[in-house]
Amino acid sequence: MSYSLTVNGKQVTVDAGAIDMPLLWVLRDVIGLTGTKFGCGAGLCGACSVLMGGERFFSCQAPARAFIGQPVTTIEGLRDDPLGKRLQDAWVEADVVQCGYCQPGQLIAAAALLKANPAPDDEAIEAGMSGNLCRCGTYPRIRKAVKLAAAGGKA
Amino acid sequence: MSGGATGLSRRGVLRGSAALGLALVVPLGRASGAKAATLTANAFLSVTAEGAALALPKTEMGQGVFTTLAMLVAEELGLAPAQVAVTIPEGDSARFAPIDQGTGGSSSVRELYKPLRQAAANARAALVGAAARQWGIPPERCDLVGGVVIETKGGRRLPVGDLLAAASAAPLPKDAPLRPSSALRVIGKPTRRLDSLAKVTGETVYGIDVRLPGMKVAMLAQCPMFGGTLATFDEKAARTTPGVVQLVKGSDVLFVVAETYWAAMQGYIAANPQWSAPKGPADHAHILAGLDEALAKPGFEAKSTGDVAAAKARAARPFSATYRQPFLAHAPMEPGSCTAHVTPEGCTIWAGSQVPAQARDDAAKALGLPADKVTFHNCQMGGGFGRRLETDMVVRAVELARQVPYPIKLMWSREEDMKHDMYRPAYADQITAALDAGGKPIGWEHRIAGSSIMARLLGQGFTGVDADAIEGAVAIPYALDAHRVTFQQAESAVPTSWWRGVGGLRSAFVVESFIDELAHAAGQDPLAYRLSLVTDARIRAVLERAGREAGWGKPLPAGLGRGIAVLQLWGTVIALVLEARVADGAITVPRATVAVDCGLAINPLGVAAQVESGVIFGLSAALHGEVTIKGGRVEQSNYHDYRILRLNEAPAIATHIVESAADPGGMGEPPCAVVAPALANAVFAASGKRLRTLPLAMALERVS
Ligand code: FES
Ligand code: FES
């Protein structure tokens, strides 16, 4: 028995032995999409964030089975979405990244935030972005980049 | 960002090189038969028709050397930084000697600023020389700009691609002049990072992302009690767990090998390993008592100037305070991992390491192989902070890899990473000052007790002063007639190592808290008091600038207070003013203002990034960071009980770079080191509570 997931617009087949693993490990160890990161495995850091529909999920916390029939977007697919590209470009423009390890999760969280609220104020940015840890302390520039992307990004 | 005149984009270079750590040769579209493809400047820098290729002699862990070092090369070669194709090379001490690939101690730019510029300047001179010979003019009348040698007062031009062969054939100039400061166009200019796009698209391959054909994934469980051993485990239950391939045991470790990390974890749970505890007490109270005992001992003298005893005798009054700092974990976002493949021919390893050459040597030693049989592909790191100056992850991986026929990726769970870190030591410090009638210190005795990392590195038999631990204590910003510093080693079962600053970090908290206490005891403003004791112009400048920018002295609403701290170390002088609010038993930090003199700021945008990073990293530690031991085990396990700051808790941070003609200083550690004292001082200003024990959130709880 095998199951089908839709990841970044593509159908991928996952067999019965893997479908009840957290989506994070299906992505990383089965499908080979390693852009989605493992940070804590406990819903604490957001490094494993993916989008389902427009919403952000911690992929370490939900079995792949929960995503059957739903379009999943990972960091590898974010650039195909105009909002995702705008965010990534804003991240580059605001010179956000340091080690970069948390940033796929940060960007997914930012995409979910802007999809729900295209013009977030400081409070909304805090609410939307505080589920993601960054050990390098890139928070000030994340704030800046989210605002930049919300404002339409670079001309 | 995906620039470069070659068909191979920068992204391609990053992806290709990071993917398997392979040295990537940039193809040269224009290279034809007789032409040399590259001009080799040294073992890690070469010039191509399209730009330059730099194999990073120090490694990237987020601190930005990927970009800063490319800027140095670009400056001398007349390129844009993005035209320097940067790769992360294998661990290889012979190739880079005398440069040590080890990346720590805020050393990358300090160590490479001159040699790297010199190598690039030599290459420029070679190319300019080749063109000048061809044109029959003196080289002074030529320059290298944008991949073309130009005749500065004439129209002639020769592309670098046409000069590589002639330049390579002639002897390489040795001490070619560097570009004069007045002519710098890259150095000093705010420059965005070159590795951003690959990181925001998820393309960057970190150590944990390595995948090889036929590879299995393992997780490890090490004895949770330091020095204990593996007693029993349920092999049958683990082996029958779906996806589990095999179990491998060591004296103090169990490896569970599986098809995926998740399956390995299920196997580990089924195996339910049991451990034998080592002998002897290992509770936190016992460790702290050991520190106090050590503090009471005479200690080894690290510094003695003037006559402290005489100063005490003639003092108007003495003042003494004791400060305590906990063990700290690194908790980088990327947990430990290392991939290794042992074959009859040797061993190949992939991991992110701050010490790739050391990692290769340690792996070779563990395998009983000569170093040249081991290849260490270094990867981008999801944070280092000193954790990846240790090679235990690599040694554990080869311990397993030698016993299995396939390539193996050994993963650490977050819990394993937290419980088997090598911790920043816990310390106890005491300063006793002799004060004159005006409240100024005339004598100062500083006693330090704690684990010695140097002692571990130097091996058995070491005794005396740990040279790192006393950093920031023997040279302090304030003029003293009599100054004595002692160090007394105190070890426990807890393994200790480097962190984002060790000695300097510890000293800054103690010295800058104490001087603040002296200011208040003298009834003086803490900034004015410091300025009255400072003789160094750079220290004075950053103190004044930070004070001015932060609005020092302007009234704040009740519950808010400002604290200041200053440090001169790692070639950098830095002052930080923090605003803290103390309300409802909690500390929050709305604002941070930094003035920094880091010598020549090669990339001001990168300097500001390190300031922001260091301040937030330092705040996580100052507020919440503490590793405690119970029953021989580390109590903390993940980010819920080892808290790091979240975005909503991070202050607004303003960085002011003080113009400086000094050589570049380090920026990795200084901003982090001034945070705890500035915060403790701000908490005092806000609440009247003097907290002398870190972390401050818990210290406040205890006194509230
Ligand atoms: S890895 Fe999923 S929240 Fe941290
Ligand atoms: S950039 Fe390193 S953890 Fe966020």
Side-chain angles (χ1 to χ4, degrees), chain B residues 64 263 307 404 474:
Chain B
D307 190 338
V404 298
V474 289

Side-chain angles (χ1 to χ4, degrees), chain A residues 37 44 93 99 136 139, chain B residues 192-193 206 209 613 645-646:
Chain A
K37 299 303 188 216
L44 296 164
E93 172 80 13
C99 83
C136 299
Y139 302 130
Chain B
R192 289 192 189 88
R193 295 178 66 111
Y206 297 86
D209 300 328
S613 176
L645 250 55
R646 294 183 178 276

Side-chain angles (χ1 to χ4, degrees), chain A residues 22 25 28-29 37 39-40 44 75 88 92-93 95 97-101 130 135-136 139 141 143, chain B residues 61-62 192-193 199-200 206 208-209 211 261-262 330 333 414 605 609 612-613 638 645-648:
Chain A
W25 301 109
R28 290 184 56 85
D29 285 355
K37 299 303 188 216
C40 68
L44 296 164
I75 190 67
Q88 288 171 332
V92 173
E93 172 80 13
D95 207 40
V97 309
Q98 292 192 25
C99 83
Y101 192 80
S130 290
R135 187 60 166 146
C136 299
Y139 302 130
R141 295 185 188 197
R143 282 177 191 269
Chain B
M61 49 186 162
R192 289 192 189 88
R193 295 178 66 111
K199 286 179 173 174
V200 300
Y206 297 86
I208 204 169
D209 300 328
R211 287 166 60 83
Y261 175 79
W262 188 253
H330 299 83
M333 288 306 301
R414 170 58 59 194
L605 210 47
E612 292 156 23
S613 176
N638 207 319
L645 250 55
R646 294 183 178 276
L647 180 135
N648 60 323

Side-chain angles (χ1 to χ4, degrees), chain A residues 39-41 43-46 48 58 60:
Chain A
C40 68
L44 296 164
C45 77
C48 64
F58 292 157
C60 73

Side-chain angles (χ1 to χ4, degrees), chain B residues 9 35 154 209 217 225 306 328 489 525 535 596 641 650 672:
Chain B
S9 70
K35 284 182 184 172
D209 300 328
V217 180
M225 294 151 290
L328 294 172
Q489 190 180 345
D525 172 80
T535 53
V596 60
D641 53 10
C672 180

Side-chain angles (χ1 to χ4, degrees), chain B residues 126-142 149 158 163:
Chain B
L127 293 162
V128 162
R133 282 196 297 281
Q134 200 168 321
W135 291 329
I137 59 172
E140 293 72 38
R141 284 172 47 194
C142 307
V149 176
L158 272 172
L163 292 165

Side-chain angles (χ1 to χ4, degrees), chain B residues 22-264:
Chain B
L22 303 173
L24 197 107
V25 181
V26 180
L28 289 165
R30 305 178 56 243
S32 63
K35 284 182 184 172
T38 61
L39 166 66
T40 303
N42 65 14
F44 48 88
L45 177 66
S46 57
V47 183
T48 66
E50 289 78 20
L54 172 67
L56 274 187
K58 297 279 177 181
T59 202
E60 176 65 52
M61 49 186 162
Q63 84 282 37
V65 290
F66 207 99
T67 308
T68 316
L69 298 182
M71 288 172 72
L72 298 178
V73 170
E75 182 69 77
E76 294 298 337
L77 288 173
L79 297 168
Q83 286 171 293
V84 182
V86 184
T87 52
I88 295 175
E90 294 166 8
D92 187 346
S93 42
R95 176 180 179 188
F96 291 95
I99 293 164
D100 182 348
Q101 282 181 281
T103 306
S106 302
S107 66
S108 301
V109 171
R110 285 191 290 160
E111 226 178 297
L112 287 168
Y113 173 65
K114 280 182 180 151
L116 199 49
R117 278 189 75 181
Q118 189 62 58
N122 292 347
R124 181 182 73 233
L127 293 162
V128 162
R133 282 196 297 281
Q134 200 168 321
W135 291 329
I137 59 172
E140 293 72 38
R141 284 172 47 194
C142 307
D143 194 8
L144 174 59
V145 183
V148 180
V149 176
I150 55 168
E151 185 186 14
T152 39
K153 291 205 183 99
R156 284 183 286 185
R157 300 162 63 83
L158 272 172
V160 163
D162 295 345
L163 292 165
L164 292 169
S168 297
L172 188 70
K174 275 204 168 44
D175 296 307
L178 308 184
R179 293 204 193 263
S181 333
S182 57
L184 300 182
R185 0 148 258 114
V186 177
I187 292 175
K189 196 171 130 201
T191 302
R192 289 192 189 88
R193 295 178 66 111
L194 299 172
D195 53 356
S196 284
L197 192 59
K199 286 179 173 174
V200 300
T201 52
E203 287 180 41
T204 295
V205 176
Y206 297 86
I208 204 169
D209 300 328
V210 167
R211 287 166 60 83
L212 300 170
M215 179 184 90
K216 309 279 181 221
V217 180
M219 72 173 283
L220 84 169
Q222 298 166 91
C223 178
M225 294 151 290
F226 301 115
T229 53
L230 177 60
T232 59
F233 61 99
D234 189 340
E235 177 147 23
K236 185 152 165 271
R239 289 287 316 252
T240 52
T241 303
V244 170
V245 176
Q246 71 178 103
L247 281 82
V248 175
K249 64 172 179 160
S251 65
D252 61 347
V253 65
L254 179 65
F255 300 100
V256 184
V257 181
E259 298 296 340
T260 63
Y261 175 79
W262 188 253

